[in-house]
Amino acid sequence: MDSTRPRARWKSMIIGNGFVRKDGRKGIRNRVVVANLVKCSSHIAHEIAKDAGDDVHEISFNGCYPNEHANRMMRQLCTHPNVGGVIIVSLGCESFPRDSLYAAVKSSGRPVEMIVVQESGGTASSVAKGRAALSAMLEEIRQTPRAPMHLDELVVGTVCGGSDATSGVTANPAVGLFFDRFIAEGGTGVFEETGELIGCEETMRQRSVTPALGEAVVESVHKAARYYTIMGHGSFAPGNAEGGLTTQEEKSMGAYAKSGSCAISGIIKPGQIPAGKGLYLLDVVPDGEPRFGFPNLNDVTEILEMAACGCHLMLYTTGRGSVAGSAIIPTIKVCANPLTYRNLSNDMDVDAGRVLEGRGTLQEVGNEIFERVVAVAGGKPSKPEALGHREFDLPYKYFDVDEDTCANQCACS
């Protein structure tokens, strides 16, 4: 495959009518986010958001002492292309810079309201004020203009969770085949889990579009290895072993398969938006010495980091079975194990495990994933979305990130 930046060879297909944001981006959903800024006001935020319908989602940062990573993530999530409006809920004395979050949302052209509980008369009055603002906002965003959205405007991310011995031979390589086709047609893809790519760094170096990018990719994996060595454990859970995986290297090879074979165009960190089209590696392991424990406490964290990088939707591969979804972006479940699929069929979108039973080929599954992505981007709910999954977890982390979200290492210039 040509290692130059991939370009569509024909006019990109229309996948539906996107929601046009004033910052120029298009979304595939039109959500209102209730953004809670500290655990102490979570009950009030929940009361505002509950019973408001599928287009209202509560997100939150539970901590009180400051963390720039959390600030960056909340700014990016509240101005995500799938988000049409934001209700900010603040207790009033937490360290989160609520005024800057409000200003960021306001400057993006989205409607935004802020409830400060200590200034709003307490629980009952804050809930009443929030519900009234939410009702008005839902009515306002119904007027969001629509315009045709093309495939090459779509950003798709991928992670794996609950991996087993089938993940690396069915679901993950099928997603890789999807990305090869998607990137060739002008799309933008993001894969991650540098802690689960240990041993694959030299192969990724060879796929990088420039030598400098190759060095950065290798260093990101070495950083992950150093981090896990200091912590005394890696990204290999007992459930992985119970599912038949034997080593970290075996798990890494399976995780790597999700990236396909096309050129790697750049490397980004959580909250950075890809600066151009192509395939990007998301480095989720914090910079510096370990400060806050394990890099990703659960798979939900990985999903929201993809959302904060501007992904419109997620491909989530699983062998053991995962039911988690997203509060911001639709999550498409690609099930690697045929036994798991039969047990959890109501939660799974794609049966990749049929390859093991001779009921299909990897290419057929890759094509099905492509068709499912187009359908979900066009408005069809994914299984977790239809079931109402809205898990959210934003931990403390540290990254050395340029505040210009396009200042990532890539071959854009």
Side-chain angles (χ1 to χ4, degrees):
M1 178 171 291
D2 187 359
S3 62
T4 59
R5 178 169 299 281
R7 295 182 179 178
R9 294 181 297 240
W10 53 85
K11 185 172 178 59
S12 181
M13 66 183 292
I14 295 175
I15 57 176
N17 283 321
F19 295 91
V20 182
R21 307 301 176 198
K22 292 183 179 179
D23 59 12
R25 295 190 290 173
K26 295 176 187 173
I28 63 172
R29 298 292 187 269
N30 200 25
R31 313 295 195 198
V32 170
V33 161
V34 177
N36 178 50
L37 304 186
V38 68
K39 183 67 174 179
C40 307
S41 52
S42 60
H43 172 71
I44 292 169
H46 179 70
E47 289 297 306
I48 292 171
K50 77 173 188 179
D51 302 325
D54 292 338
D55 286 330
V56 178
H57 299 295
E58 178 189 351
I59 66 175
S60 63
F61 176 56
N62 290 331
C64 188
Y65 65 90
N67 182 243
E68 183 50 42
H69 167 71
N71 300 348
R72 183 184 310 111
M73 293 287 289
M74 291 292 276
R75 287 195 300 271
Q76 293 297 89
L77 293 169
C78 287
T79 57
H80 189 279
N82 290 350
V83 173
V86 181
I87 306 289
I88 299 172
V89 180
S90 163
L91 177 62
C93 57
E94 70 277 356
S95 297
F96 197 102
R98 61 179 181 268
D99 290 336
S100 66
L101 177 61
Y102 180 92
V105 179
K106 190 76 173 178
S107 65
S108 76
R110 292 163 173 79
V112 57
E113 295 287 341
M114 184 155 61
I115 312 296
V116 181
V117 177
Q118 293 170 348
E119 300 173 2
S120 296
T123 299
S125 58
S126 295
V127 170
K129 182 178 179 182
R131 287 178 175 173
L134 178 58
S135 178
M137 192 172 293
L138 284 169
E139 186 61 33
E140 180 176 354
I141 69 168
R142 290 190 182 99
Q143 310 306 314
T144 302
R146 307 290 298 270
M149 186 165 182
H150 293 80
L151 184 72
D152 63 2
E153 297 178 278
L154 199 62
V155 185
V156 178
T158 186
V159 301
C160 50
S163 300
D164 69 8
T166 69
S167 298
V169 294
T170 61
N172 290 355
V175 167
L177 290 171
F178 158 80
F179 272 119
D180 286 345
R181 177 180 174 184
F182 178 62
I183 301 301
E185 295 196 23
T188 302
V190 183
F191 73 107
E192 56 103 50
E193 298 168 306
T194 47
E196 295 180 11
L197 293 171
I198 295 170
C200 302
E201 59 268 31
E202 289 301 327
T203 304
M204 290 191 292
R205 182 207 295 270
Q206 296 171 16
R207 290 173 57 190
S208 300
V209 293
T210 66
L213 176 60
E215 288 294 331
V217 168
V218 169
E219 176 52 32
S220 72
V221 178
H222 289 175
K223 179 184 69 170
R226 290 193 299 270
Y227 194 103
Y228 286 130
T229 298
I230 294 171
M231 292 294 297
H233 56 80
S235 184
F236 193 92
N240 298 142
E242 291 172 5
L245 288 171
T246 60
T247 63
Q248 177 68 62
E249 289 78 9
E250 183 183 9
K251 185 179 182 183
S252 291
M253 291 173 66
Y256 171 77
K258 299 197 307 298
S259 66
S261 62
C262 63
I264 297 174
S265 296
I267 182 170
I268 57 178
K269 297 180 182 182
Q272 287 187 307
I273 296 171
K277 295 186 182 300
L279 181 67
Y280 287 75
L281 171 64
L282 174 58
D283 176 10
V284 301
V285 175
D287 295 322
E289 295 297 310
R291 305 183 186 187
F292 303 112
F294 195 68
N296 279 35
L297 297 175
N298 52 63
D299 296 324
V300 173
T301 302
E302 297 175 335
I303 296 173
L304 78 92
E305 287 173 340
M306 286 286 182
C309 292
C311 293
H312 291 94
L313 56 82
M314 282 289 312
L315 295 172
Y316 190 122
T317 67
T318 183
R320 299 297 302 276
S322 172
V323 298
S326 169
I328 305 292
I329 57 176
T331 303
I332 297 172
K333 292 295 175 67
V334 183
C335 187
N337 191 317
L339 299 179
T340 301
Y341 183 84
R342 284 192 277 272
N343 186 42
L344 299 175
S345 59
N346 290 333
D347 290 271
M348 301 293 132
D349 293 275
V350 177
D351 176 16
R354 69 182 189 267
V355 173
L356 294 177
E357 297 181 332
R359 295 182 287 111
T361 66
L362 281 175
Q363 190 61 65
E364 288 171 347
V365 176
N367 291 339
E368 181 184 345
I369 293 170
F370 187 92
E371 293 166 1
R372 189 61 59 97
V373 165
V374 170
V376 171
K380 181 178 180 178
S382 68
K383 289 287 187 71
E385 190 178 14
L387 290 166
H389 281 282
R390 303 174 185 178
E391 289 81 7
F392 189 91
D393 185 23
L394 176 56
Y396 282 95
K397 281 189 175 184
Y398 171 78
F399 289 94
D400 183 11
V401 174
D402 190 318
E403 282 305 298
D404 177 0
T405 56
C406 285
N408 41 67
Q409 298 184 51
C410 64
C412 305
S413 57

